[in-house]
mmCIF file of all heavy atoms in Angstrom:
data_model
loop_
_atom_site.group_PDB
_atom_site.id
_atom_site.type_symbol
_atom_site.label_atom_id
_atom_site.label_comp_id
_atom_site.label_asym_id
_atom_site.label_seq_id
_atom_site.Cartn_x
_atom_site.Cartn_y
_atom_site.Cartn_z
ATOM 1 N N THR S 1 138.817 -27.617 132.879
ATOM 2 C CA THR S 1 138.620 -29.046 132.816
ATOM 3 C C THR S 1 139.750 -29.636 133.543
ATOM 4 O O THR S 1 139.741 -30.888 133.956
ATOM 5 C CB THR S 1 138.481 -29.648 131.489
ATOM 6 O OG1 THR S 1 139.600 -29.271 130.617
ATOM 7 C CG2 THR S 1 137.132 -29.105 130.817
ATOM 8 N N ASP S 2 140.951 -29.001 133.695
ATOM 9 C CA ASP S 2 142.151 -29.467 134.175
ATOM 10 C C ASP S 2 142.252 -28.813 135.636
ATOM 11 O O ASP S 2 142.679 -27.590 135.701
ATOM 12 C CB ASP S 2 143.379 -29.208 133.364
ATOM 13 C CG ASP S 2 144.682 -29.787 133.960
ATOM 14 O OD1 ASP S 2 144.670 -30.272 135.033
ATOM 15 O OD2 ASP S 2 145.636 -29.863 133.183
ATOM 16 N N PRO S 3 142.160 -29.531 136.632
ATOM 17 C CA PRO S 3 142.191 -28.892 138.037
ATOM 18 C C PRO S 3 143.701 -28.407 138.329
ATOM 19 O O PRO S 3 143.791 -27.584 139.267
ATOM 20 C CB PRO S 3 141.718 -29.991 138.961
ATOM 21 C CG PRO S 3 142.066 -31.253 138.136
ATOM 22 C CD PRO S 3 141.815 -30.949 136.830
ATOM 23 N N ASP S 4 144.576 -28.916 137.590
ATOM 24 C CA ASP S 4 145.990 -28.508 138.016
ATOM 25 C C ASP S 4 146.556 -27.377 137.093
ATOM 26 O O ASP S 4 147.626 -26.842 137.232
ATOM 27 C CB ASP S 4 146.956 -29.717 137.809
ATOM 28 C CG ASP S 4 146.635 -30.815 138.757
ATOM 29 O OD1 ASP S 4 146.208 -30.521 139.885
ATOM 30 O OD2 ASP S 4 146.775 -31.967 138.449
ATOM 31 N N ALA S 5 145.734 -26.911 136.107
ATOM 32 C CA ALA S 5 146.136 -25.949 135.124
ATOM 33 C C ALA S 5 145.954 -24.561 135.817
ATOM 34 O O ALA S 5 144.934 -24.255 136.395
ATOM 35 C CB ALA S 5 145.314 -25.985 133.842
ATOM 36 N N LEU S 6 146.989 -23.660 135.620
ATOM 37 C CA LEU S 6 146.921 -22.356 136.143
ATOM 38 C C LEU S 6 145.891 -21.552 135.377
ATOM 39 O O LEU S 6 145.778 -21.733 134.090
ATOM 40 C CB LEU S 6 148.219 -21.719 136.087
ATOM 41 C CG LEU S 6 149.325 -22.125 137.035
ATOM 42 C CD1 LEU S 6 150.576 -21.456 136.729
ATOM 43 C CD2 LEU S 6 148.969 -22.001 138.472
ATOM 44 N N PRO S 7 145.206 -20.587 135.979
ATOM 45 C CA PRO S 7 144.101 -19.803 135.388
ATOM 46 C C PRO S 7 144.759 -18.797 134.499
ATOM 47 O O PRO S 7 145.817 -18.233 134.661
ATOM 48 C CB PRO S 7 143.374 -19.216 136.593
ATOM 49 C CG PRO S 7 143.715 -19.881 137.814
ATOM 50 C CD PRO S 7 145.152 -20.400 137.539
ATOM 51 N N VAL S 8 143.857 -18.434 133.382
ATOM 52 C CA VAL S 8 144.129 -17.301 132.616
ATOM 53 C C VAL S 8 143.263 -16.159 133.218
ATOM 54 O O VAL S 8 142.018 -16.273 133.345
ATOM 55 C CB VAL S 8 143.722 -17.563 131.075
ATOM 56 C CG1 VAL S 8 143.962 -16.254 130.375
ATOM 57 C CG2 VAL S 8 144.618 -18.710 130.642
ATOM 58 N N TYR S 9 143.961 -15.053 133.573
ATOM 59 C CA TYR S 9 143.191 -13.897 134.166
ATOM 60 C C TYR S 9 142.858 -12.883 133.014
ATOM 61 O O TYR S 9 143.571 -12.703 131.977
ATOM 62 C CB TYR S 9 143.970 -13.272 135.194
ATOM 63 C CG TYR S 9 144.078 -14.099 136.555
ATOM 64 C CD1 TYR S 9 144.711 -15.470 136.569
ATOM 65 C CD2 TYR S 9 143.474 -13.645 137.620
ATOM 66 C CE1 TYR S 9 144.678 -16.104 137.653
ATOM 67 C CE2 TYR S 9 143.490 -14.428 138.850
ATOM 68 C CZ TYR S 9 144.044 -15.622 138.814
ATOM 69 O OH TYR S 9 144.089 -16.384 140.006
ATOM 70 N N VAL S 10 141.697 -12.226 133.317
ATOM 71 C CA VAL S 10 141.317 -11.191 132.410
ATOM 72 C C VAL S 10 140.525 -10.101 133.189
ATOM 73 O O VAL S 10 139.775 -10.479 133.979
ATOM 74 C CB VAL S 10 140.394 -11.778 131.286
ATOM 75 C CG1 VAL S 10 139.191 -12.486 131.756
ATOM 76 C CG2 VAL S 10 139.901 -10.717 130.281
ATOM 77 N N GLY S 11 140.828 -8.917 133.017
ATOM 78 C CA GLY S 11 140.082 -7.803 133.684
ATOM 79 C C GLY S 11 140.772 -6.561 133.756
ATOM 80 O O GLY S 11 141.762 -6.362 133.042
ATOM 81 N N SER S 12 140.275 -5.652 134.671
ATOM 82 C CA SER S 12 140.826 -4.276 134.747
ATOM 83 C C SER S 12 140.408 -3.674 136.005
ATOM 84 O O SER S 12 140.523 -4.315 137.134
ATOM 85 C CB SER S 12 140.472 -3.349 133.512
ATOM 86 O OG SER S 12 141.201 -2.152 133.481
ATOM 87 N N HIS S 13 139.683 -2.518 136.056
ATOM 88 C CA HIS S 13 139.225 -1.946 137.300
ATOM 89 C C HIS S 13 137.914 -1.225 137.097
ATOM 90 O O HIS S 13 137.607 -0.690 136.090
ATOM 91 C CB HIS S 13 140.305 -0.821 137.768
ATOM 92 C CG HIS S 13 140.462 0.229 136.861
ATOM 93 N ND1 HIS S 13 139.900 1.426 136.960
ATOM 94 C CD2 HIS S 13 141.323 0.376 135.768
ATOM 95 C CE1 HIS S 13 140.275 2.278 135.863
ATOM 96 N NE2 HIS S 13 141.208 1.633 135.193
ATOM 97 N N LEU S 14 137.229 -1.167 138.270
ATOM 98 C CA LEU S 14 135.850 -0.457 138.217
ATOM 99 C C LEU S 14 135.814 0.986 138.808
ATOM 100 O O LEU S 14 134.863 1.631 138.690
ATOM 101 C CB LEU S 14 134.879 -1.328 138.909
ATOM 102 C CG LEU S 14 134.480 -2.606 138.346
ATOM 103 C CD1 LEU S 14 133.597 -3.437 139.255
ATOM 104 C CD2 LEU S 14 133.856 -2.461 136.936
ATOM 105 N N ASP S 15 137.070 1.232 139.456
ATOM 106 C CA ASP S 15 137.085 2.614 140.089
ATOM 107 C C ASP S 15 137.270 3.645 139.023
ATOM 108 O O ASP S 15 137.853 3.321 137.956
ATOM 109 C CB ASP S 15 138.067 2.695 141.215
ATOM 110 C CG ASP S 15 139.572 2.639 140.750
ATOM 111 O OD1 ASP S 15 139.791 1.673 139.913
ATOM 112 O OD2 ASP S 15 140.311 3.379 141.140
ATOM 113 N N THR S 16 136.778 4.937 139.297
ATOM 114 C CA THR S 16 136.956 6.004 138.364
ATOM 115 C C THR S 16 137.532 7.241 138.926
ATOM 116 O O THR S 16 137.900 7.334 140.111
ATOM 117 C CB THR S 16 135.603 6.476 137.699
ATOM 118 O OG1 THR S 16 134.933 7.182 138.696
ATOM 119 C CG2 THR S 16 134.733 5.302 137.347
ATOM 120 N N GLN S 17 137.955 8.156 138.072
ATOM 121 C CA GLN S 17 138.381 9.442 138.428
ATOM 122 C C GLN S 17 137.154 10.185 139.007
ATOM 123 O O GLN S 17 136.050 9.796 138.826
ATOM 124 C CB GLN S 17 138.865 10.301 137.220
ATOM 125 C CG GLN S 17 140.218 9.715 136.692
ATOM 126 C CD GLN S 17 141.369 10.062 137.569
ATOM 127 O OE1 GLN S 17 141.482 11.136 138.165
ATOM 128 N NE2 GLN S 17 142.429 9.193 137.613
ATOM 129 N N PRO S 18 137.478 11.313 139.698
ATOM 130 C CA PRO S 18 136.220 12.094 140.142
ATOM 131 C C PRO S 18 135.359 12.651 139.084
ATOM 132 O O PRO S 18 134.135 12.789 139.162
ATOM 133 C CB PRO S 18 136.928 13.185 140.989
ATOM 134 C CG PRO S 18 138.334 13.203 140.747
ATOM 135 C CD PRO S 18 138.718 11.823 140.249
ATOM 136 N N THR S 19 136.020 12.898 137.930
ATOM 137 C CA THR S 19 135.255 13.350 136.814
ATOM 138 C C THR S 19 135.634 12.327 135.630
ATOM 139 O O THR S 19 136.244 12.790 134.632
ATOM 140 C CB THR S 19 135.585 14.712 136.339
ATOM 141 O OG1 THR S 19 137.006 15.003 136.158
ATOM 142 C CG2 THR S 19 134.995 15.758 137.446
ATOM 143 N N GLY S 20 135.340 11.038 135.941
ATOM 144 C CA GLY S 20 135.711 10.023 134.933
ATOM 145 C C GLY S 20 134.650 9.638 133.966
ATOM 146 O O GLY S 20 133.538 10.157 134.043
ATOM 147 N N GLY S 21 135.009 8.778 133.057
ATOM 148 C CA GLY S 21 134.089 8.352 131.981
ATOM 149 C C GLY S 21 133.609 7.090 132.323
ATOM 150 O O GLY S 21 133.781 6.439 133.442
ATOM 151 N N LYS S 22 132.664 6.554 131.381
ATOM 152 C CA LYS S 22 131.995 5.296 131.619
ATOM 153 C C LYS S 22 132.803 3.946 131.193
ATOM 154 O O LYS S 22 132.318 2.912 131.429
ATOM 155 C CB LYS S 22 130.656 5.351 130.923
ATOM 156 C CG LYS S 22 129.755 6.466 131.314
ATOM 157 C CD LYS S 22 128.298 6.308 130.717
ATOM 158 C CE LYS S 22 128.399 6.636 129.223
ATOM 159 N NZ LYS S 22 128.389 8.260 128.983
ATOM 160 N N TYR S 23 133.969 4.233 130.561
ATOM 161 C CA TYR S 23 134.586 3.066 129.987
ATOM 162 C C TYR S 23 135.991 2.652 130.492
ATOM 163 O O TYR S 23 136.480 1.571 130.390
ATOM 164 C CB TYR S 23 134.692 3.349 128.396
ATOM 165 C CG TYR S 23 133.389 3.874 127.966
ATOM 166 C CD1 TYR S 23 133.199 5.121 127.593
ATOM 167 C CD2 TYR S 23 132.338 2.983 127.644
ATOM 168 C CE1 TYR S 23 131.888 5.631 127.160
ATOM 169 C CE2 TYR S 23 131.099 3.374 127.156
ATOM 170 C CZ TYR S 23 130.965 4.741 126.865
ATOM 171 O OH TYR S 23 129.662 5.119 126.466
ATOM 172 N N ASP S 24 136.743 3.789 130.934
ATOM 173 C CA ASP S 24 138.110 3.632 131.435
ATOM 174 C C ASP S 24 138.096 2.598 132.512
ATOM 175 O O ASP S 24 137.611 2.797 133.590
ATOM 176 C CB ASP S 24 138.585 5.011 131.942
ATOM 177 C CG ASP S 24 139.870 4.884 132.694
ATOM 178 O OD1 ASP S 24 140.512 3.883 132.768
ATOM 179 O OD2 ASP S 24 140.267 5.944 133.188
ATOM 180 N N GLY S 25 138.695 1.412 132.249
ATOM 181 C CA GLY S 25 138.824 0.301 133.158
ATOM 182 C C GLY S 25 137.551 -0.538 133.266
ATOM 183 O O GLY S 25 137.650 -1.771 133.152
ATOM 184 N N VAL S 26 136.425 -0.027 133.219
ATOM 185 C CA VAL S 26 135.143 -0.709 133.315
ATOM 186 C C VAL S 26 135.016 -1.620 132.059
ATOM 187 O O VAL S 26 134.517 -2.800 132.082
ATOM 188 C CB VAL S 26 134.052 0.270 133.405
ATOM 189 C CG1 VAL S 26 132.601 -0.585 133.591
ATOM 190 C CG2 VAL S 26 134.124 1.241 134.555
ATOM 191 N N LEU S 27 135.388 -1.208 130.890
ATOM 192 C CA LEU S 27 135.342 -1.893 129.640
ATOM 193 C C LEU S 27 136.118 -3.328 129.827
ATOM 194 O O LEU S 27 135.672 -4.362 129.434
ATOM 195 C CB LEU S 27 135.764 -1.117 128.428
ATOM 196 C CG LEU S 27 135.861 -2.016 127.145
ATOM 197 C CD1 LEU S 27 134.501 -2.408 126.725
ATOM 198 C CD2 LEU S 27 136.534 -1.123 125.975
ATOM 199 N N GLY S 28 137.219 -3.110 130.405
ATOM 200 C CA GLY S 28 138.109 -4.408 130.540
ATOM 201 C C GLY S 28 137.569 -5.364 131.571
ATOM 202 O O GLY S 28 137.623 -6.576 131.258
ATOM 203 N N VAL S 29 136.811 -4.870 132.637
ATOM 204 C CA VAL S 29 136.319 -5.838 133.629
ATOM 205 C C VAL S 29 134.999 -6.432 132.891
ATOM 206 O O VAL S 29 134.798 -7.689 132.961
ATOM 207 C CB VAL S 29 135.893 -5.106 134.933
ATOM 208 C CG1 VAL S 29 135.049 -6.028 135.821
ATOM 209 C CG2 VAL S 29 137.013 -4.582 135.521
ATOM 210 N N LEU S 30 134.119 -5.669 132.386
ATOM 211 C CA LEU S 30 132.811 -6.198 131.806
ATOM 212 C C LEU S 30 133.050 -6.846 130.515
ATOM 213 O O LEU S 30 132.382 -7.827 130.151
ATOM 214 C CB LEU S 30 131.823 -5.070 131.735
ATOM 215 C CG LEU S 30 131.460 -4.355 133.048
ATOM 216 C CD1 LEU S 30 130.315 -3.406 132.795
ATOM 217 C CD2 LEU S 30 131.091 -5.436 134.035
ATOM 218 N N GLY S 31 134.162 -6.589 129.801
ATOM 219 C CA GLY S 31 134.555 -7.260 128.659
ATOM 220 C C GLY S 31 134.934 -8.811 129.051
ATOM 221 O O GLY S 31 134.646 -9.618 128.287
ATOM 222 N N GLY S 32 135.730 -8.851 130.130
ATOM 223 C CA GLY S 32 135.995 -10.128 130.678
ATOM 224 C C GLY S 32 134.719 -10.978 131.084
ATOM 225 O O GLY S 32 134.650 -12.156 130.807
ATOM 226 N N LEU S 33 133.799 -10.244 131.813
ATOM 227 C CA LEU S 33 132.556 -10.908 132.122
ATOM 228 C C LEU S 33 131.806 -11.385 130.834
ATOM 229 O O LEU S 33 131.213 -12.487 130.819
ATOM 230 C CB LEU S 33 131.650 -10.065 133.007
ATOM 231 C CG LEU S 33 130.230 -10.506 133.227
ATOM 232 C CD1 LEU S 33 130.197 -11.815 133.980
ATOM 233 C CD2 LEU S 33 129.475 -9.429 134.079
ATOM 234 N N GLU S 34 131.737 -10.504 129.867
ATOM 235 C CA GLU S 34 131.050 -10.866 128.607
ATOM 236 C C GLU S 34 131.599 -12.062 127.818
ATOM 237 O O GLU S 34 130.827 -12.846 127.335
ATOM 238 C CB GLU S 34 131.024 -9.623 127.664
ATOM 239 C CG GLU S 34 130.346 -9.891 126.274
ATOM 240 C CD GLU S 34 128.963 -10.433 126.362
ATOM 241 O OE1 GLU S 34 128.182 -10.154 127.290
ATOM 242 O OE2 GLU S 34 128.643 -11.277 125.462
ATOM 243 N N LEU S 35 132.946 -12.217 127.901
ATOM 244 C CA LEU S 35 133.538 -13.382 127.148
ATOM 245 C C LEU S 35 133.163 -14.593 127.927
ATOM 246 O O LEU S 35 132.791 -15.642 127.301
ATOM 247 C CB LEU S 35 135.050 -13.251 127.029
ATOM 248 C CG LEU S 35 135.890 -13.424 128.171
ATOM 249 C CD1 LEU S 35 136.364 -14.823 128.448
ATOM 250 C CD2 LEU S 35 137.329 -12.692 127.937
ATOM 251 N N VAL S 36 132.980 -14.532 129.218
ATOM 252 C CA VAL S 36 132.451 -15.721 130.013
ATOM 253 C C VAL S 36 131.087 -16.085 129.662
ATOM 254 O O VAL S 36 130.729 -17.179 129.511
ATOM 255 C CB VAL S 36 132.789 -15.503 131.475
ATOM 256 C CG1 VAL S 36 132.038 -16.610 132.361
ATOM 257 C CG2 VAL S 36 134.219 -15.531 131.867
ATOM 258 N N ARG S 37 130.321 -14.990 129.667
ATOM 259 C CA ARG S 37 128.848 -15.164 129.304
ATOM 260 C C ARG S 37 128.672 -15.916 127.904
ATOM 261 O O ARG S 37 127.902 -16.692 127.744
ATOM 262 C CB ARG S 37 128.084 -13.901 129.287
ATOM 263 C CG ARG S 37 127.867 -13.265 130.696
ATOM 264 C CD ARG S 37 127.436 -11.813 130.641
ATOM 265 N NE ARG S 37 126.802 -11.349 131.827
ATOM 266 C CZ ARG S 37 126.492 -10.040 132.113
ATOM 267 N NH1 ARG S 37 126.640 -9.198 131.127
ATOM 268 N NH2 ARG S 37 125.862 -9.765 133.261
ATOM 269 N N THR S 38 129.514 -15.332 127.018
ATOM 270 C CA THR S 38 129.494 -16.066 125.598
ATOM 271 C C THR S 38 129.911 -17.413 125.537
ATOM 272 O O THR S 38 129.263 -18.286 124.956
ATOM 273 C CB THR S 38 130.433 -15.154 124.679
ATOM 274 O OG1 THR S 38 129.970 -13.764 124.730
ATOM 275 C CG2 THR S 38 130.362 -15.767 123.218
ATOM 276 N N LEU S 39 130.958 -17.820 126.352
ATOM 277 C CA LEU S 39 131.372 -19.127 126.560
ATOM 278 C C LEU S 39 130.197 -20.061 126.999
ATOM 279 O O LEU S 39 130.055 -21.162 126.703
ATOM 280 C CB LEU S 39 132.729 -19.243 127.319
ATOM 281 C CG LEU S 39 133.912 -18.536 126.659
ATOM 282 C CD1 LEU S 39 135.159 -18.758 127.628
ATOM 283 C CD2 LEU S 39 134.249 -19.105 125.285
ATOM 284 N N ASN S 40 129.535 -19.452 128.101
ATOM 285 C CA ASN S 40 128.467 -20.157 128.656
ATOM 286 C C ASN S 40 127.344 -20.399 127.669
ATOM 287 O O ASN S 40 126.817 -21.516 127.501
ATOM 288 C CB ASN S 40 127.901 -19.467 129.941
ATOM 289 C CG ASN S 40 128.889 -19.356 131.069
ATOM 290 O OD1 ASN S 40 129.799 -20.178 131.108
ATOM 291 N ND2 ASN S 40 128.591 -18.624 132.006
ATOM 292 N N ASP S 41 127.018 -19.397 126.904
ATOM 293 C CA ASP S 41 125.919 -19.498 125.844
ATOM 294 C C ASP S 41 126.290 -20.613 124.849
ATOM 295 O O ASP S 41 125.308 -21.332 124.522
ATOM 296 C CB ASP S 41 125.862 -18.168 125.048
ATOM 297 C CG ASP S 41 125.333 -16.977 125.858
ATOM 298 O OD1 ASP S 41 124.827 -17.263 126.948
ATOM 299 O OD2 ASP S 41 125.476 -15.846 125.506
ATOM 300 N N LEU S 42 127.559 -20.751 124.487
ATOM 301 C CA LEU S 42 127.933 -21.727 123.560
ATOM 302 C C LEU S 42 128.378 -23.058 124.065
ATOM 303 O O LEU S 42 128.867 -23.928 123.414
ATOM 304 C CB LEU S 42 129.000 -21.043 122.625
ATOM 305 C CG LEU S 42 128.578 -19.831 121.887
ATOM 306 C CD1 LEU S 42 129.762 -19.231 121.192
ATOM 307 C CD2 LEU S 42 127.400 -20.065 120.910
ATOM 308 N N ASP S 43 128.321 -23.112 125.484
ATOM 309 C CA ASP S 43 128.821 -24.344 126.126
ATOM 310 C C ASP S 43 130.314 -24.655 125.721
ATOM 311 O O ASP S 43 130.586 -25.938 125.567
ATOM 312 C CB ASP S 43 127.787 -25.484 125.898
ATOM 313 C CG ASP S 43 128.043 -26.653 126.937
ATOM 314 O OD1 ASP S 43 128.511 -26.327 127.999
ATOM 315 O OD2 ASP S 43 127.742 -27.836 126.495
ATOM 316 N N ILE S 44 131.140 -23.620 125.730
ATOM 317 C CA ILE S 44 132.520 -23.975 125.392
ATOM 318 C C ILE S 44 133.312 -23.998 126.616
ATOM 319 O O ILE S 44 133.265 -23.292 127.488
ATOM 320 C CB ILE S 44 133.106 -22.820 124.480
ATOM 321 C CG1 ILE S 44 132.407 -22.724 123.260
ATOM 322 C CG2 ILE S 44 134.600 -22.864 124.372
ATOM 323 C CD1 ILE S 44 132.837 -21.569 122.346
ATOM 324 N N LYS S 45 133.980 -25.133 126.761
ATOM 325 C CA LYS S 45 134.738 -25.349 127.896
ATOM 326 C C LYS S 45 136.301 -25.149 127.585
ATOM 327 O O LYS S 45 136.782 -25.339 126.522
ATOM 328 C CB LYS S 45 134.634 -26.791 128.466
ATOM 329 C CG LYS S 45 133.261 -27.189 128.868
ATOM 330 C CD LYS S 45 133.129 -28.667 129.391
ATOM 331 C CE LYS S 45 131.709 -28.847 129.966
ATOM 332 N NZ LYS S 45 130.588 -28.533 129.035
ATOM 333 N N THR S 46 137.055 -24.734 128.691
ATOM 334 C CA THR S 46 138.514 -24.496 128.455
ATOM 335 C C THR S 46 139.323 -25.442 129.449
ATOM 336 O O THR S 46 138.836 -25.732 130.509
ATOM 337 C CB THR S 46 138.836 -23.035 128.627
ATOM 338 O OG1 THR S 46 138.526 -22.602 129.943
ATOM 339 C CG2 THR S 46 138.199 -22.095 127.659
#
């Protein structure tokens, strides 16, 4: 709501090891997306 306020960043990485798992990095990126989806669901503004 404040155009002059610096953003709060949240995230991680989507790239994996050649024999990587499904969660390393990806959980941090999609966890960030999920919190935004939840704020949208509840119409919470920051």
Side-chain angles (χ1 to χ4, degrees):
T1 60
D2 183 349
D4 297 323
L6 291 176
V8 176
Y9 284 67
V10 56
S12 192
H13 61 95
L14 292 174
D15 68 312
T16 76
Q17 291 283 327
T19 54
K22 298 187 287 286
Y23 312 101
D24 172 4
V26 186
L27 176 63
V29 177
L30 299 187
L33 172 60
E34 174 54 35
L35 76 83
V36 167
R37 287 169 164 171
T38 300
L39 296 180
N40 289 347
D41 291 344
L42 301 174
D43 196 28
I44 294 174
K45 296 178 173 60
T46 59

